[in-house]
Amino acid sequence: MDSPELLSNLLIDETTELRDVLRALDQTGLRIVFVTDASSRLVGAISDGDMRRGLLAGHGLDEPASAVMNKNFITLPESLPESEARAHVSDRITVIPIVDGVGRAQRFVLEKDPEFIPAAEPLLGGNEISYVVDCLSSGWISSQGAYVAAFENAFAKLTGVPVGQAITVSNGTVALQLALAALDVGPGDEVIVPDLTFAATLNAVLHVGASPVIVDVDPIQLTMDPTAVRAAITSRTRAIMPVHLYGQMSDMGKLGEIAREHGLLVIEDAAEALGSRLGSRHAGTLGDAGTFSFFANKLITTGEGGMVVFSDPEVAARARVLRDHGMDTKKRYWHLEAGFNFRLTNLQAAIGLAQLEKVDELLAAKIRLAGSYTERLADLSELIILPEVDPNNVHSFWNFVVLFRDIFAGDVADQMLRFMRARKIDSRRLFYPMHVMPPYANLRRIGDCPNSVSASRTGVAFPASPKLTEKQIDDICKTFRSGIEMLNVKRLSAIGR
Ligand SMILES: Cc1ncc(COP(=O)(O)O)c(C=O)c1O
């Protein structure tokens, strides 16, 4: 384990006050930190136990680290091969510094030293290479070429929209922008958006000159709260933009009803929801437009890329023109509107087509993963909230997200993430509430969005690679349980039990 972040977190200067040593122990979650002198040489170690014994012996929190450090600790030389170094790690000695010739820590070996588990990774082992090679040898590498249409047509078939109404674009953000522009949403219009989303949702609205209006999300589903949407409607409202966050379908029944009552457009941000369905209807096809992202961590990827689907063929035709500078499809260099260049390349579409060939397999892997996590964590339901899926929906589980119950104070998710990352498990926090960030703080919003604030503080997204084995899922859940133990001990000691 040699991440620079861990290296600096595990090392403290001998003059550091004991209260900051406690903070450092808290940060790494590894139950030990190492003490350095003025020349950065290691001079001691402080474990949770050393700290506890020191405080019980009467040392004060303003005393220096050197007051309680243990000078008997193991180091290993840099010259030792990794496998031999790792053999020194045991249940008792879980972190060992590897030092240079003068005793300065260069890196650490950790308990068991597990394989790094990434938060996500693309699965590219199918026809991707042969299709890309085909593009390269044919010379069709830009946005014209057979793969663009083939990818659009296969995507239309998958999502159940008529051929011609699924349009490739350069990414999921401009997919939203193109949807808004093609539906004539612009200056003077308000678009209702959830507070808990990726910033692209709001940025797209701002970039067409319209005004996002922020509403809270459901505390468990984490999708737009229909009651808040009702409260947000004014005479300027043009559209509702539900986000199917982490693959969880928004409440499209209620949102559709509100939209019909008030004559509003519905543009679904389904960037994270390829494979999700309400009954037999695919996410993104329940409103006027739906958008998808093919960033590398999504269900299928084209590196960067996106798709927008429309329910109205005329709007789709306009979007095709807008995507290509507003140029008349029948008259080259004749521009009907001031459009954009939002085109996807043939090379990217070739990758996308190969990815679509295994979309069922990828979706099944995600759903299996969610089932395995649920099974292993179900007994923790007094401490965490597991995802709930409406029986009418298919949840694609792009990400498996749990929320800590509010018995845990402070930045509980961040503490868990640090704990897991120190053990080479790359989980992710949820998005920050939009309204707390500078570009969005002054936008109109309904209330203080407490559900979004709380989910952002308490939510952990588990590793989501479709390649994860049952053994890795086991390890992730065991580590999460150890992390919970640490958090629970802290919680109980904070409330004096
Ligand atoms: C909810 C949501 N909307 C929009 C986007 C934007 O997609 P892209 O990154 O392809 O621009 C993302 C991307 O992660 C997203 O998660």
Side-chain angles (χ1 to χ4, degrees):
M1 167 62 85
D2 50 2
S3 95
E5 192 193 339
L6 183 67
L7 190 66
S8 61
N9 283 343
L10 271 171
L11 295 176
I12 53 157
D13 185 82
E14 60 189 341
T15 59
T16 308
E17 287 187 2
L18 291 181
R19 69 167 49 80
D20 292 323
V21 175
L22 276 175
R23 283 199 190 101
L25 282 166
D26 208 30
Q27 287 251 324
T28 66
L30 287 174
R31 301 199 172 103
I32 192 161
V33 289
F34 294 88
V35 184
T36 55
D37 66 11
S39 334
S40 303
R41 279 189 284 253
L42 284 181
V43 289
I46 303 179
S47 67
D48 273 354
D50 295 326
M51 196 71 207
R52 197 167 48 243
R53 283 184 290 277
L55 294 177
L56 285 173
H59 288 289
L61 287 177
D62 50 359
E63 287 188 45
S66 52
V68 302
M69 76 184 182
N70 184 345
K71 291 186 188 151
N72 285 326
F73 62 99
I74 294 180
T75 61
L76 294 169
E78 270 183 298
S79 54
L80 205 66
E82 181 74 18
S83 57
E84 281 182 46
R86 227 180 284 158
H88 289 261
V89 177
S90 67
D91 283 348
R92 211 173 56 78
I93 300 168
T94 54
V95 186
I96 305 179
I98 306 289
V99 295
D100 66 9
V102 291
R104 284 183 302 229
Q106 301 301 302
R107 60 195 177 85
F108 293 90
V109 282
L110 284 191
E111 49 186 332
K112 296 191 207 94
D113 210 18
E115 288 285 300
F116 175 72
I117 298 182
E121 61 192 320
L123 221 70
L124 297 165
N127 282 326
E128 287 82 353
I129 292 178
S130 64
Y131 291 175
V132 168
V133 168
D134 185 32
C135 288
L136 293 173
S137 38
S138 70
W140 291 101
I141 57 169
S142 237
S143 54
Q144 289 175 17
Y147 284 105
V148 176
F151 182 36
E152 288 180 348
N153 294 348
F155 196 89
K157 193 167 166 220
L158 172 74
T159 51
V161 299
V163 166
Q165 285 165 232
I167 301 174
T168 51
V169 284
S170 356
N171 56 63
T173 310
V174 299
L176 286 164
Q177 200 177 326
L178 187 62
L180 289 159
L183 287 161
D184 258 333
V185 178
D189 293 333
E190 287 183 344
V191 178
I192 302 174
V193 295
D195 191 41
L196 192 68
T197 182
F198 184 59
T201 317
L202 277 72
N203 289 346
V205 176
L206 290 167
H207 291 317
V208 296
S211 308
V213 176
I214 297 174
V215 298
D216 204 359
V217 294
D218 178 274
I220 311 282
Q221 306 281 326
L222 308 182
T223 53
M224 199 175 228
D225 172 12
T227 313
V229 171
R230 266 191 198 285
I233 293 171
T234 67
S235 57
R236 291 176 58 197
T237 311
R238 274 296 307 287
I240 307 176
M241 202 182 253
V243 178
H244 306 308
L245 203 68
Y246 305 114
Q248 177 75 273
M249 288 296 296
S250 305
D251 188 343
M252 294 308 290
K254 286 203 186 119
L255 293 174
E257 208 176 286
I258 297 171
R260 277 189 299 279
E261 260 174 50
H262 294 270
L264 305 176
L265 297 165
V266 175
I267 299 163
E268 299 172 70
D269 182 343
E272 303 179 358
L274 184 59
S276 298
R277 286 170 191 273
L278 165 62
S280 61
R281 297 182 67 186
H282 199 285
T285 68
L286 293 128
D288 299 278
T291 63
F292 300 84
S293 163
F294 307 133
F295 186 69
N297 62 1
K298 296 300 188 296
L299 187 72
I300 66 162
T301 185
T302 58
E304 295 278 357
M307 189 82 72
V308 50
V309 300
F310 291 96
S311 62
D312 180 338
E314 278 178 33
V315 182
R318 182 179 181 204
R320 271 185 198 284
V321 170
L322 281 172
R323 174 183 67 171
D324 190 13
H325 299 286
M327 190 155 48
D328 191 335
T329 49
K330 297 190 196 72
K331 192 168 169 183
R332 186 172 285 268
Y333 305 135
W334 185 261
H335 295 265
L336 302 166
E337 298 193 62
F340 316 94
N341 177 357
F342 285 167
R343 298 177 310 238
L344 189 80
T345 66
N346 202 40
L347 282 166
Q348 292 168 304
I351 299 172
L353 186 66
Q355 287 271 289
L356 268 192
E357 290 169 358
K358 48 192 180 221
V359 69
D360 290 343
E361 182 194 326
L362 291 166
L363 184 61
K366 291 280 194 181
I367 292 173
R368 168 191 65 88
L369 196 57
S372 299
Y373 280 138
T374 304
E375 207 178 286
R376 286 164 174 79
L377 301 174
D379 64 306
L380 295 174
S381 63
E382 281 182 13
L383 301 173
I384 57 172
I385 301 169
L386 293 165
E388 282 175 16
V389 188
D390 184 318
N392 295 316
N393 293 350
V394 174
H395 186 330
S396 68
F397 281 106
W398 174 63
N399 261 331
F400 181 84
V401 169
V402 305
L403 303 170
F404 282 101
R405 293 200 183 271
D406 55 14
I407 43 178
F408 292 101
D411 55 348
V412 62
D414 283 340
Q415 291 178 53
M416 176 58 90
L417 296 188
R418 278 198 297 269
F419 184 89
M420 293 179 88
R421 224 166 270 153
R423 287 153 182 80
K424 290 198 176 181
I425 297 172
D426 194 13
S427 303
R428 291 289 154 89
R429 58 162 296 121
L430 306 198
F431 301 120
Y432 292 100
M434 288 295 118
H435 78 271
V436 304
M437 294 184 279
Y440 319 110
N442 294 323
L443 296 175
R444 189 163 82 77
R445 74 168 187 273
I446 305 304
D448 292 334
C449 303
N451 298 335
S452 151
V453 170
S454 165
S456 177
R457 180 181 73 77
T458 62
V460 173
F462 275 57
S465 163
K467 288 189 209 166
L468 285 180
T469 62
E470 288 296 314
K471 159 86 175 66
Q472 285 174 309
I473 298 169
D474 252 351
D475 290 345
I476 294 165
C477 292
K478 277 186 192 142
T479 303
F480 183 76
R481 277 173 183 280
S482 313
I484 286 230
E485 214 175 282
M486 176 259 316
L487 290 169
N488 208 14
V489 167
K490 277 205 262 182
R491 174 178 77 86
L492 294 176
S493 57
I495 58 178
R497 280 169 55 189

PDB file of all heavy atoms in Angstrom, residues 171-174 176 197-198 200-201 243 245 269 271-272 293-295 297-298 304-305 398 431, ligand 1:
ATOM      1  N   ASN A 171     -21.756  13.352 -25.177  1.00  0.00           N
ATOM      2  CA  ASN A 171     -21.772  12.924 -23.772  1.00  0.00           C
ATOM      3  C   ASN A 171     -23.174  13.115 -23.192  1.00  0.00           C
ATOM      4  O   ASN A 171     -24.064  13.665 -23.854  1.00  0.00           O
ATOM      5  CB  ASN A 171     -20.715  13.678 -22.936  1.00  0.00           C
ATOM      6  CG  ASN A 171     -20.881  15.187 -23.021  1.00  0.00           C
ATOM      7  OD1 ASN A 171     -21.908  15.717 -22.605  1.00  0.00           O
ATOM      8  ND2 ASN A 171     -19.898  15.870 -23.567  1.00  0.00           N
ATOM      9  N   GLY A 172     -23.329  12.685 -21.948  1.00  0.00           N
ATOM     10  CA  GLY A 172     -24.650  12.728 -21.312  1.00  0.00           C
ATOM     11  C   GLY A 172     -25.087  14.131 -20.922  1.00  0.00           C
ATOM     12  O   GLY A 172     -26.273  14.370 -20.688  1.00  0.00           O
ATOM     13  N   THR A 173     -24.150  15.035 -20.813  1.00  0.00           N
ATOM     14  CA  THR A 173     -24.484  16.423 -20.460  1.00  0.00           C
ATOM     15  C   THR A 173     -25.081  17.140 -21.655  1.00  0.00           C
ATOM     16  O   THR A 173     -26.137  17.782 -21.555  1.00  0.00           O
ATOM     17  CB  THR A 173     -23.215  17.162 -19.977  1.00  0.00           C
ATOM     18  OG1 THR A 173     -22.579  16.374 -18.984  1.00  0.00           O
ATOM     19  CG2 THR A 173     -23.557  18.522 -19.414  1.00  0.00           C
ATOM     20  N   VAL A 174     -24.430  17.023 -22.812  1.00  0.00           N
ATOM     21  CA  VAL A 174     -24.990  17.689 -23.991  1.00  0.00           C
ATOM     22  C   VAL A 174     -26.254  16.970 -24.475  1.00  0.00           C
ATOM     23  O   VAL A 174     -27.076  17.569 -25.168  1.00  0.00           O
ATOM     24  CB  VAL A 174     -23.952  17.889 -25.123  1.00  0.00           C
ATOM     25  CG1 VAL A 174     -22.802  18.759 -24.654  1.00  0.00           C
ATOM     26  CG2 VAL A 174     -23.468  16.582 -25.707  1.00  0.00           C
ATOM     27  N   LEU A 176     -28.617  16.213 -22.479  1.00  0.00           N
ATOM     28  CA  LEU A 176     -29.636  17.000 -21.767  1.00  0.00           C
ATOM     29  C   LEU A 176     -29.831  18.356 -22.438  1.00  0.00           C
ATOM     30  O   LEU A 176     -30.955  18.832 -22.619  1.00  0.00           O
ATOM     31  CB  LEU A 176     -29.204  17.222 -20.312  1.00  0.00           C
ATOM     32  CG  LEU A 176     -29.309  16.015 -19.379  1.00  0.00           C
ATOM     33  CD1 LEU A 176     -28.505  16.250 -18.107  1.00  0.00           C
ATOM     34  CD2 LEU A 176     -30.773  15.751 -19.034  1.00  0.00           C
ATOM     35  N   THR A 197     -28.149  15.178  -7.345  1.00  0.00           N
ATOM     36  CA  THR A 197     -27.872  14.693  -8.704  1.00  0.00           C
ATOM     37  C   THR A 197     -26.437  15.053  -9.041  1.00  0.00           C
ATOM     38  O   THR A 197     -25.755  15.735  -8.264  1.00  0.00           O
ATOM     39  CB  THR A 197     -28.843  15.311  -9.725  1.00  0.00           C
ATOM     40  OG1 THR A 197     -28.543  14.767 -11.032  1.00  0.00           O
ATOM     41  CG2 THR A 197     -28.742  16.824  -9.808  1.00  0.00           C
ATOM     42  N   PHE A 198     -25.980  14.611 -10.208  1.00  0.00           N
ATOM     43  CA  PHE A 198     -24.696  15.087 -10.709  1.00  0.00           C
ATOM     44  C   PHE A 198     -24.944  16.468 -11.322  1.00  0.00           C
ATOM     45  O   PHE A 198     -26.008  16.709 -11.909  1.00  0.00           O
ATOM     46  CB  PHE A 198     -24.162  14.101 -11.753  1.00  0.00           C
ATOM     47  CG  PHE A 198     -22.803  14.454 -12.270  1.00  0.00           C
ATOM     48  CD1 PHE A 198     -21.725  14.562 -11.410  1.00  0.00           C
ATOM     49  CD2 PHE A 198     -22.601  14.689 -13.624  1.00  0.00           C
ATOM     50  CE1 PHE A 198     -20.465  14.900 -11.892  1.00  0.00           C
ATOM     51  CE2 PHE A 198     -21.347  15.011 -14.108  1.00  0.00           C
ATOM     52  CZ  PHE A 198     -20.279  15.115 -13.241  1.00  0.00           C
ATOM     53  N   ALA A 200     -24.292  17.948 -13.863  1.00  0.00           N
ATOM     54  CA  ALA A 200     -24.620  18.072 -15.286  1.00  0.00           C
ATOM     55  C   ALA A 200     -26.092  18.406 -15.493  1.00  0.00           C
ATOM     56  O   ALA A 200     -26.450  19.147 -16.419  1.00  0.00           O
ATOM     57  CB  ALA A 200     -24.284  16.767 -16.004  1.00  0.00           C
ATOM     58  N   THR A 201     -26.966  17.865 -14.632  1.00  0.00           N
ATOM     59  CA  THR A 201     -28.409  18.096 -14.780  1.00  0.00           C
ATOM     60  C   THR A 201     -28.685  19.604 -14.741  1.00  0.00           C
ATOM     61  O   THR A 201     -29.399  20.144 -15.599  1.00  0.00           O
ATOM     62  CB  THR A 201     -29.178  17.392 -13.628  1.00  0.00           C
ATOM     63  OG1 THR A 201     -28.634  16.094 -13.425  1.00  0.00           O
ATOM     64  CG2 THR A 201     -30.650  17.301 -13.916  1.00  0.00           C
ATOM     65  N   VAL A 243     -34.368  12.683 -12.282  1.00  0.00           N
ATOM     66  CA  VAL A 243     -33.102  11.961 -12.459  1.00  0.00           C
ATOM     67  C   VAL A 243     -33.287  10.580 -11.827  1.00  0.00           C
ATOM     68  O   VAL A 243     -33.651  10.479 -10.659  1.00  0.00           O
ATOM     69  CB  VAL A 243     -31.952  12.707 -11.745  1.00  0.00           C
ATOM     70  CG1 VAL A 243     -30.644  11.937 -11.896  1.00  0.00           C
ATOM     71  CG2 VAL A 243     -31.808  14.117 -12.293  1.00  0.00           C
ATOM     72  N   LEU A 245     -31.705   8.319 -10.177  1.00  0.00           N
ATOM     73  CA  LEU A 245     -30.401   8.324  -9.524  1.00  0.00           C
ATOM     74  C   LEU A 245     -29.924   6.912  -9.182  1.00  0.00           C
ATOM     75  O   LEU A 245     -30.648   6.148  -8.552  1.00  0.00           O
ATOM     76  CB  LEU A 245     -30.491   9.183  -8.260  1.00  0.00           C
ATOM     77  CG  LEU A 245     -29.173   9.758  -7.761  1.00  0.00           C
ATOM     78  CD1 LEU A 245     -28.615  10.797  -8.721  1.00  0.00           C
ATOM     79  CD2 LEU A 245     -29.337  10.361  -6.372  1.00  0.00           C
ATOM     80  N   ASP A 269     -33.514  12.474 -16.967  1.00  0.00           N
ATOM     81  CA  ASP A 269     -32.072  12.280 -16.964  1.00  0.00           C
ATOM     82  C   ASP A 269     -31.827  10.825 -16.549  1.00  0.00           C
ATOM     83  O   ASP A 269     -31.834  10.479 -15.367  1.00  0.00           O
ATOM     84  CB  ASP A 269     -31.412  13.262 -15.991  1.00  0.00           C
ATOM     85  CG  ASP A 269     -29.895  13.143 -15.993  1.00  0.00           C
ATOM     86  OD1 ASP A 269     -29.392  12.120 -16.484  1.00  0.00           O
ATOM     87  OD2 ASP A 269     -29.220  14.062 -15.492  1.00  0.00           O
ATOM     88  N   ALA A 271     -29.100   9.176 -17.300  1.00  0.00           N
ATOM     89  CA  ALA A 271     -27.652   8.956 -17.486  1.00  0.00           C
ATOM     90  C   ALA A 271     -27.194   7.699 -16.754  1.00  0.00           C
ATOM     91  O   ALA A 271     -26.324   6.971 -17.229  1.00  0.00           O
ATOM     92  CB  ALA A 271     -26.871  10.168 -16.978  1.00  0.00           C
ATOM     93  N   GLU A 272     -27.797   7.453 -15.570  1.00  0.00           N
ATOM     94  CA  GLU A 272     -27.343   6.348 -14.721  1.00  0.00           C
ATOM     95  C   GLU A 272     -28.309   5.165 -14.781  1.00  0.00           C
ATOM     96  O   GLU A 272     -28.212   4.266 -13.952  1.00  0.00           O
ATOM     97  CB  GLU A 272     -27.248   6.853 -13.265  1.00  0.00           C
ATOM     98  CG  GLU A 272     -26.335   8.061 -13.120  1.00  0.00           C
ATOM     99  CD  GLU A 272     -26.259   8.592 -11.694  1.00  0.00           C
ATOM    100  OE1 GLU A 272     -26.951   8.052 -10.813  1.00  0.00           O
ATOM    101  OE2 GLU A 272     -25.497   9.553 -11.475  1.00  0.00           O
ATOM    102  N   SER A 293     -25.854   8.479 -20.504  1.00  0.00           N
ATOM    103  CA  SER A 293     -24.412   8.760 -20.557  1.00  0.00           C
ATOM    104  C   SER A 293     -23.660   7.458 -20.790  1.00  0.00           C
ATOM    105  O   SER A 293     -24.026   6.415 -20.237  1.00  0.00           O
ATOM    106  CB  SER A 293     -23.964   9.374 -19.226  1.00  0.00           C
ATOM    107  OG  SER A 293     -22.557   9.298 -19.111  1.00  0.00           O
ATOM    108  N   PHE A 294     -22.586   7.561 -21.574  1.00  0.00           N
ATOM    109  CA  PHE A 294     -21.727   6.392 -21.804  1.00  0.00           C
ATOM    110  C   PHE A 294     -20.309   6.650 -21.313  1.00  0.00           C
ATOM    111  O   PHE A 294     -19.321   6.211 -21.908  1.00  0.00           O
ATOM    112  CB  PHE A 294     -21.727   6.003 -23.292  1.00  0.00           C
ATOM    113  CG  PHE A 294     -23.109   5.808 -23.859  1.00  0.00           C
ATOM    114  CD1 PHE A 294     -23.466   6.392 -25.074  1.00  0.00           C
ATOM    115  CD2 PHE A 294     -24.062   5.061 -23.179  1.00  0.00           C
ATOM    116  CE1 PHE A 294     -24.738   6.231 -25.595  1.00  0.00           C
ATOM    117  CE2 PHE A 294     -25.345   4.894 -23.689  1.00  0.00           C
ATOM    118  CZ  PHE A 294     -25.689   5.478 -24.897  1.00  0.00           C
ATOM    119  N   PHE A 295     -20.200   7.419 -20.230  1.00  0.00           N
ATOM    120  CA  PHE A 295     -18.916   7.622 -19.564  1.00  0.00           C
ATOM    121  C   PHE A 295     -18.398   6.241 -19.110  1.00  0.00           C
ATOM    122  O   PHE A 295     -19.185   5.298 -18.967  1.00  0.00           O
ATOM    123  CB  PHE A 295     -19.132   8.575 -18.376  1.00  0.00           C
ATOM    124  CG  PHE A 295     -17.860   8.978 -17.697  1.00  0.00           C
ATOM    125  CD1 PHE A 295     -16.952   9.799 -18.342  1.00  0.00           C
ATOM    126  CD2 PHE A 295     -17.566   8.534 -16.408  1.00  0.00           C
ATOM    127  CE1 PHE A 295     -15.770  10.168 -17.722  1.00  0.00           C
ATOM    128  CE2 PHE A 295     -16.384   8.897 -15.782  1.00  0.00           C
ATOM    129  CZ  PHE A 295     -15.487   9.712 -16.438  1.00  0.00           C
ATOM    130  N   ASN A 297     -17.684   4.768 -16.479  1.00  0.00           N
ATOM    131  CA  ASN A 297     -18.218   4.030 -15.322  1.00  0.00           C
ATOM    132  C   ASN A 297     -19.684   3.624 -15.505  1.00  0.00           C
ATOM    133  O   ASN A 297     -20.275   3.034 -14.616  1.00  0.00           O
ATOM    134  CB  ASN A 297     -18.067   4.863 -14.039  1.00  0.00           C
ATOM    135  CG  ASN A 297     -18.846   6.160 -14.085  1.00  0.00           C
ATOM    136  OD1 ASN A 297     -19.530   6.459 -15.065  1.00  0.00           O
ATOM    137  ND2 ASN A 297     -18.752   6.949 -13.038  1.00  0.00           N
ATOM    138  N   LYS A 298     -20.275   3.926 -16.667  1.00  0.00           N
ATOM    139  CA  LYS A 298     -21.710   3.629 -16.859  1.00  0.00           C
ATOM    140  C   LYS A 298     -21.918   2.174 -17.302  1.00  0.00           C
ATOM    141  O   LYS A 298     -20.954   1.464 -17.580  1.00  0.00           O
ATOM    142  CB  LYS A 298     -22.296   4.610 -17.883  1.00  0.00           C
ATOM    143  CG  LYS A 298     -22.255   6.067 -17.417  1.00  0.00           C
ATOM    144  CD  LYS A 298     -23.029   6.283 -16.143  1.00  0.00           C
ATOM    145  CE  LYS A 298     -23.186   7.737 -15.750  1.00  0.00           C
ATOM    146  NZ  LYS A 298     -21.946   8.431 -15.446  1.00  0.00           N
ATOM    147  N   GLU A 304     -16.268   8.543 -23.748  1.00  0.00           N
ATOM    148  CA  GLU A 304     -17.230   9.621 -23.500  1.00  0.00           C
ATOM    149  C   GLU A 304     -18.342   9.388 -24.517  1.00  0.00           C
ATOM    150  O   GLU A 304     -18.087   8.899 -25.615  1.00  0.00           O
ATOM    151  CB  GLU A 304     -16.615  11.000 -23.741  1.00  0.00           C
ATOM    152  CG  GLU A 304     -15.506  11.401 -22.806  1.00  0.00           C
ATOM    153  CD  GLU A 304     -15.988  11.953 -21.474  1.00  0.00           C
ATOM    154  OE1 GLU A 304     -17.217  12.090 -21.277  1.00  0.00           O
ATOM    155  OE2 GLU A 304     -15.115  12.226 -20.630  1.00  0.00           O
ATOM    156  N   GLY A 305     -19.555   9.764 -24.184  1.00  0.00           N
ATOM    157  CA  GLY A 305     -20.628   9.597 -25.162  1.00  0.00           C
ATOM    158  C   GLY A 305     -21.981   9.678 -24.497  1.00  0.00           C
ATOM    159  O   GLY A 305     -22.089   9.626 -23.267  1.00  0.00           O
ATOM    160  N   TRP A 398     -27.114   0.607 -11.181  1.00  0.00           N
ATOM    161  CA  TRP A 398     -25.836   1.145 -11.669  1.00  0.00           C
ATOM    162  C   TRP A 398     -24.886   1.291 -10.485  1.00  0.00           C
ATOM    163  O   TRP A 398     -23.704   0.985 -10.579  1.00  0.00           O
ATOM    164  CB  TRP A 398     -26.063   2.495 -12.369  1.00  0.00           C
ATOM    165  CG  TRP A 398     -24.769   3.124 -12.737  1.00  0.00           C
ATOM    166  CD1 TRP A 398     -23.854   2.629 -13.609  1.00  0.00           C
ATOM    167  CD2 TRP A 398     -24.219   4.325 -12.216  1.00  0.00           C
ATOM    168  NE1 TRP A 398     -22.755   3.463 -13.665  1.00  0.00           N
ATOM    169  CE2 TRP A 398     -22.965   4.507 -12.814  1.00  0.00           C
ATOM    170  CE3 TRP A 398     -24.671   5.281 -11.291  1.00  0.00           C
ATOM    171  CZ2 TRP A 398     -22.147   5.599 -12.530  1.00  0.00           C
ATOM    172  CZ3 TRP A 398     -23.860   6.369 -11.014  1.00  0.00           C
ATOM    173  CH2 TRP A 398     -22.608   6.516 -11.633  1.00  0.00           C
ATOM    174  N   PHE A 431     -23.383  12.380  -4.231  1.00  0.00           N
ATOM    175  CA  PHE A 431     -23.139  13.749  -4.674  1.00  0.00           C
ATOM    176  C   PHE A 431     -23.399  14.718  -3.517  1.00  0.00           C
ATOM    177  O   PHE A 431     -24.146  14.398  -2.592  1.00  0.00           O
ATOM    178  CB  PHE A 431     -24.071  14.095  -5.832  1.00  0.00           C
ATOM    179  CG  PHE A 431     -23.896  13.185  -7.024  1.00  0.00           C
ATOM    180  CD1 PHE A 431     -24.944  12.411  -7.493  1.00  0.00           C
ATOM    181  CD2 PHE A 431     -22.671  13.088  -7.660  1.00  0.00           C
ATOM    182  CE1 PHE A 431     -24.783  11.564  -8.581  1.00  0.00           C
ATOM    183  CE2 PHE A 431     -22.497  12.241  -8.751  1.00  0.00           C
ATOM    184  CZ  PHE A 431     -23.553  11.481  -9.201  1.00  0.00           C
TER     185      PHE A 431
HETATM  186  C1  LIG B   1     -27.282  12.032 -13.297  1.00  0.00           C
HETATM  187  C2  LIG B   1     -26.300  12.385 -14.371  1.00  0.00           C
HETATM  188  N1  LIG B   1     -26.649  13.265 -15.316  1.00  0.00           N
HETATM  189  C3  LIG B   1     -25.819  13.604 -16.306  1.00  0.00           C
HETATM  190  C4  LIG B   1     -24.554  13.080 -16.407  1.00  0.00           C
HETATM  191  C5  LIG B   1     -23.641  13.554 -17.484  1.00  0.00           C
HETATM  192  O1  LIG B   1     -23.108  12.582 -18.294  1.00  0.00           O
HETATM  193  P1  LIG B   1     -21.682  12.773 -18.989  1.00  0.00           P
HETATM  194  O2  LIG B   1     -20.648  12.581 -17.935  1.00  0.00           O
HETATM  195  O3  LIG B   1     -21.653  11.703 -20.027  1.00  0.00           O
HETATM  196  O4  LIG B   1     -21.652  14.137 -19.566  1.00  0.00           O
HETATM  197  C6  LIG B   1     -24.136  12.155 -15.453  1.00  0.00           C
HETATM  198  C7  LIG B   1     -22.787  11.589 -15.551  1.00  0.00           C
HETATM  199  O5  LIG B   1     -22.210  10.970 -14.778  1.00  0.00           O
HETATM  200  C8  LIG B   1     -25.020  11.799 -14.394  1.00  0.00           C
HETATM  201  O6  LIG B   1     -24.640  10.938 -13.443  1.00  0.00           O
END
